Amino acid sequence: MGTASKRRIRGTGLVAGALVAGTVAAATPGTAGAAEAARCAPGRAAPAYTCARPGDLVAPALEELRPTQAVLGHDEVYYKLGRYRSDKDAAAGGFNKRFDDWCEANGQGEAASVRPDARLDDPSTFTCTVPLGQETEESVEPMKTAVVGPGGQLYLTDGHHTLTSFLESPDGGPRARVRVRVTDNFSDLSPAAFWQRMRAENKVWLRDADGREITVGRLPERLGLASFQDDPYRSLVYFTRDIGYAVPDHAPEFLEYQWGSWLRPELPLAGRDLDDPAAYLALVKDASRRMTALAPDTVVADGRTAAQLGRLAAWNDGKKETGGEFAKLGRPLTDAKPGKLAYALDFKKDVARTPACTTTLTGTHNGPLVVNRGVTCLDRASVRGPVTVRPSAVLVATGARVEGPVRADGAAGVQLCGTSVTGPLAVTGATGPVRVGGTGCTGNRITGPVQLVNNTGPVVFTANEVTGPLTCFGNATGVDTTPRPNTVRGPATGQCANP
């Protein structure tokens, strides 16, 4: 970038919920509308981020951000998490990539120093190359972006994969903070007008994992793997970066999803083994060659041409298969610098497979829910009433909300990922796996007492927030509470007692 990119950005630091002064285009006094002036007058309390202006840098907790898409490429997040837990970067003489990623996302360049006990949720344990208050246009440009909506709610418009990776990291979590750059403030609009404006400005992606259109009511309420459906084409496009396409300057919103929309009918994934490195690499090669074979003016999706979406003129940027980004992508985990696929698939193998659903519930279910047999899956569903799991049945809740008690006695399995339960949770005598949080399974919020008692299958209970007592005893294999401790506002006893 030119000399102007070095111009500093005024800042006030990483302060919880505080506004950091605006960027180059920050609003100047006297330009605010009458409604904003009245709402944000000195001495008057305004809700949340209502007074943030375009260009402001704000520092929300990750749990404060609302997504503007319903899908993620899970394998891309697995790559990040796989690399974050690896010691390869340190062995090569650098810092773990998660600190570089955080510094970049926070508008501060790269990691400059990292203490042995450094954590993402404690920025005082590491430093970045650009100190707070000395940000430049160049350092702010790659920051993730957000729009202020009705009620001062922050809606994330870029960075869902990176910030979800921070949230899922053992040293991150929902209360970790990172700054985002405000691009627009639409807080004066009604909800209906807000979403109409977001659609008109292409700031929301209203498609599901199969490319079908959805309504804004299907958007998740928070970040986390469990909140998002997995779109494998989004991951595939990510891995073709700098092989089949390169992100252009002033890239269109949702560029990777647009490429994915084009690839979906071109390259069916049925029969493809996305757990096998060689098969996955072959798929990336196939997809990226199809991308570069397009004429520059070919319309790919949503009126965008291949050239506008960054199509490369030559596959692998003109390099041989044994070189360039393609060769880097395929490096095995044993390499000093493994490729992205190796990290992704190594992490993926540790993510417990969800049993096949025999019954799937979406939307809202009013009244009691009884799981008598088979595998009942709550797929980002809302249940207003008690949930009972009978012996030999299985409950899988992913990104769900349950307003009522959950009780499983003698179940063949219970899995809760990214689920909110308002009421007691009791799992007793389960004969199969009990998984409440864990690797690749977003932590849960439980408001009420939790009992894990006399289960004979493996029990994982980690990264959860419990408001109430946590009681664990008689579980045959103990209770695995790693890699991130639970937050318990109440006594934790037995096998779940704090060390």
Side-chain angles (χ1 to χ4, degrees), residues 138-459:
E138 185 177 30
S139 72
V140 166
E141 192 278 331
M143 290 181 69
K144 311 310 179 186
T145 55
V147 170
V148 183
Q153 174 66 56
L154 279 178
Y155 288 85
L156 187 67
T157 51
D158 176 56
H160 293 77
H161 289 79
T162 296
L163 300 195
T164 287
S165 300
F166 292 165
L167 185 146
E168 297 287 355
S169 180
D171 62 344
R175 288 186 170 79
R177 293 183 180 272
V178 67
R179 294 188 299 183
V180 295
R181 177 167 51 86
V182 175
T183 60
D184 302 275
N185 189 323
F186 299 147
S187 59
D188 285 335
L189 298 179
S190 68
F194 169 73
W195 286 114
Q196 183 178 16
R197 183 77 173 269
M198 293 287 281
R199 286 193 293 266
E201 298 194 10
N202 199 31
K203 295 181 183 294
V204 59
W205 182 255
L206 294 175
R207 306 271 179 85
D208 67 11
D210 295 316
R212 296 172 298 202
E213 292 189 9
I214 61 171
T215 65
V216 295
R218 294 272 306 276
L219 293 174
E221 295 183 354
R222 58 174 175 150
L223 297 174
L225 277 167
S227 295
F228 299 94
Q229 296 178 345
D230 178 25
D231 182 351
Y233 287 97
R234 175 59 178 78
S235 295
L236 176 59
V237 172
Y238 173 72
F239 292 128
T240 67
R241 185 177 297 179
D242 298 323
I243 302 170
Y245 82 104
V247 178
D249 293 335
H250 311 296
E253 301 287 350
F254 306 108
L255 176 151
E256 291 87 355
Y257 287 105
Q258 290 168 344
W259 274 119
S261 295
W262 176 78
L263 280 172
R264 184 170 281 107
E266 284 281 323
L267 199 58
L269 299 183
R272 302 271 190 168
D273 186 354
L274 299 186
D275 296 325
D276 178 73
Y280 211 138
L281 189 63
L283 178 64
V284 171
K285 181 179 178 181
D286 191 353
S288 55
R289 284 196 178 279
R290 290 170 186 256
M291 295 161 81
T292 57
L294 290 174
D297 59 353
T298 300
V299 175
V300 172
D302 297 340
R304 303 285 186 178
T305 66
Q308 290 174 320
L309 297 181
R311 162 201 169 270
L312 289 177
W315 181 79
N316 201 25
D317 205 20
K319 300 177 178 65
K320 295 181 179 179
E321 189 171 317
T322 54
E325 291 301 316
F326 186 76
K328 292 179 183 178
L329 181 68
R331 288 173 181 166
L333 199 65
T334 53
D335 196 278
K337 294 183 178 180
K340 292 178 179 179
L341 274 180
Y343 280 122
L345 299 185
D346 181 65
F347 187 88
K348 191 177 184 178
K349 68 178 176 55
D350 293 335
V351 177
R353 294 292 190 259
T354 299
C357 307
T358 55
T359 300
T360 300
L361 298 180
T362 60
T364 300
H365 177 91
N366 293 309
L369 173 65
V370 179
V371 182
N372 286 308
R373 64 183 66 84
V375 179
T376 293
C377 296
L378 306 181
D379 183 8
R380 290 113 194 146
S382 178
V383 178
R384 297 170 179 168
V387 177
T388 303
V389 187
R390 301 292 191 200
S392 301
V394 176
L395 173 69
V396 176
T398 305
R401 179 189 298 272
V402 179
E403 299 175 16
V406 176
R407 181 170 187 84
D409 197 357
V414 173
Q415 176 174 297
L416 305 182
C417 299
T419 291
S420 171
V421 177
T422 304
L425 169 65
V427 183
T428 60
T431 58
V434 176
R435 187 174 182 234
V436 185
T439 301
C441 176
T442 309
N444 305 273
R445 295 174 178 173
I446 304 164
T447 304
V450 176
Q451 291 184 320
L452 304 173
V453 178
N454 295 335
N455 297 294
T456 59
V459 179

Side-chain angles (χ1 to χ4, degrees), residues 27-46:
T28 55
T31 62
E36 179 187 342
R39 183 179 63 247
C40 301
R44 182 166 184 173

